[in-house]
Amino acid sequence: MHCGPPDMVCETKIVAAEDHEALPGAKKDALLSAAGAMWPPLPAAPGPAAAPAAPPPAPDAQQLGGAGGTGPPGGRGVCIREFRAAEQDAARRIFYDGIMERIPNTAFRGLRQHPRTQLLYALLAALCFAVTRSLLLTCLVPAGLLGLRYYYSRKVILAYLDCALHTDMADIEQYYMKPPGSCFWVAVLDGNVVGIVAARAHEEDNTVELLRMSVDSRFRGKGIAKALGRKVLEFAVVHNYSAVVLGTTAVKVAAHKLYESLGFRHMGASDHYVLPGMTLSLAERLFFQVRYHRYRLQLREE
């Protein structure tokens, strides 16, 4: 066995922490390097698991509108696009349902817009009491008058519907999509048509008329009607028309507020408007009245 000479002894000097600063710089660095080589650093204690990455933000309503569509505020997933021939029946159904809602509105709510008619009905009730002296018959007069208003409102509006469904709404593709200066749009939600609107140009005064706006009653209050209206305004701007006009016999205040929110100005109203389908008989004049409102949005001065 071979042993090393006794004078070759390895001596290790232990240096306290407070003595580090007393060592010469080079020697201190050498000692620290040697210590690091002899005792590698311990692995760090396991810490709490890293939080998972936050999911990407959800797309907004505009992104959910679909390619080429417009997602109205509050109308997530709604796409406004041009009409397709396969949607003829769906568009006619929405138009029909929207117009049929006007029968009770015109017969009952609309009476508030015609104070002269109210006065006439009150005089008829008073005359009935003066002749019969019967409170029962007098109380039945208003009910009978309202019943006649409903009958004639239904009669005239059904005639108007028949006229519309046999003219422009009979072939939307031919009437609105092919002629220049006209267009028809639909609002689509989950593959179903839930709203419609049309535009037709009047070249004589360089304006566009907003027509046939209607939204399925199950999907109202979601901003769809406003998005449809804006589509007509965009159409007018792109094609360099000077103004957008519309006329309506709507009784509901919400419809008029919608037009005003789009920037339209009320240009006046008429109680002598003749609705297509009216016969102007004495009975119709007595039990059916509509007020026709005109609106205009000036885009640029001529």
Side-chain angles (χ1 to χ4, degrees):
M1 182 175 69
H2 176 75
C3 295
D7 56 343
M8 296 180 64
V9 178
C10 179
E11 181 180 0
T12 302
K13 182 177 181 180
I14 300 176
V15 182
E18 57 269 17
D19 296 330
H20 280 184
E21 298 301 329
L23 294 173
K27 188 174 181 180
K28 179 173 71 174
D29 293 340
L31 284 171
L32 292 175
S33 299
M38 293 173 64
W39 295 288
L42 294 174
D60 57 20
Q62 293 287 341
Q63 293 171 325
L64 292 173
T70 301
R76 293 178 68 86
V78 177
C79 171
I80 310 296
R81 58 167 172 76
E82 291 187 2
F83 167 84
R84 298 171 184 171
E87 296 160 341
Q88 172 80 23
D89 291 341
R92 283 165 57 95
R93 175 188 58 80
I94 291 176
F95 172 72
Y96 178 89
D97 291 345
I99 296 298
M100 288 297 289
E101 290 178 7
R102 296 193 179 186
I103 294 176
N105 289 333
T106 302
F108 307 132
R109 288 187 181 181
L111 182 58
R112 294 180 295 183
Q113 298 180 348
H114 303 280
R116 292 183 180 179
T117 303
Q118 295 179 40
L119 178 60
L120 176 61
Y121 291 174
L123 290 175
L124 289 174
L127 179 62
C128 176
F129 180 75
V131 172
T132 65
R133 296 294 177 178
S134 170
L135 287 176
L136 177 61
L137 290 177
T138 303
C139 291
L140 290 176
V141 168
L145 293 172
L146 290 177
L148 288 170
R149 284 187 64 85
Y150 183 86
Y151 171 80
Y152 279 99
S153 294
R154 180 179 175 84
K155 177 177 178 292
V156 172
I157 289 175
L158 284 177
Y160 165 75
L161 262 176
D162 184 69
C163 178
L165 293 174
H166 286 85
T167 52
D168 61 312
M169 296 301 291
D171 191 345
I172 297 172
E173 179 79 19
Q174 183 68 31
Y175 196 90
Y176 288 107
M177 303 307 294
K178 292 185 177 180
S182 298
C183 197
F184 197 100
W185 296 271
V186 294
V188 180
L189 176 63
D190 296 331
N192 299 313
V193 176
V194 297
I196 59 172
V197 73
R200 184 175 61 194
H202 298 284
E203 300 297 341
E204 62 274 11
D205 57 359
N206 197 34
T207 62
V208 168
E209 184 178 6
L210 186 153
L211 297 160
R212 305 309 191 207
M213 180 187 284
S214 186
V215 175
D216 190 317
S217 59
R218 297 169 296 175
F219 301 96
R220 291 175 188 165
K222 301 179 182 296
I224 297 175
K226 181 172 283 190
L228 288 166
R230 285 175 177 166
K231 183 61 70 174
V232 176
L233 303 187
E234 292 173 8
F235 176 83
V237 171
V238 168
H239 291 83
N240 206 31
Y241 289 101
S242 61
V244 181
V245 298
L246 67 88
T248 180
T249 58
V251 175
K252 289 184 177 180
V253 175
H256 298 275
K257 287 185 176 180
L258 168 65
Y259 303 138
E260 292 170 358
S261 70
L262 287 168
F264 285 89
R265 290 182 57 192
H266 188 254
M267 305 302 293
S270 172
D271 291 332
H272 305 290
Y273 178 71
V274 179
L275 196 70
M278 291 182 66
T279 62
L280 299 179
S281 66
L282 178 60
E284 277 188 4
R285 293 181 181 184
L286 186 60
F287 298 111
F288 177 80
Q289 301 90 23
V290 290
R291 177 166 291 177
Y292 183 75
H293 299 265
R294 293 177 291 106
Y295 285 88
R296 183 183 183 94
L297 174 57
Q298 194 70 34
L299 300 174
R300 61 182 178 84
E301 296 297 332
E302 286 294 321

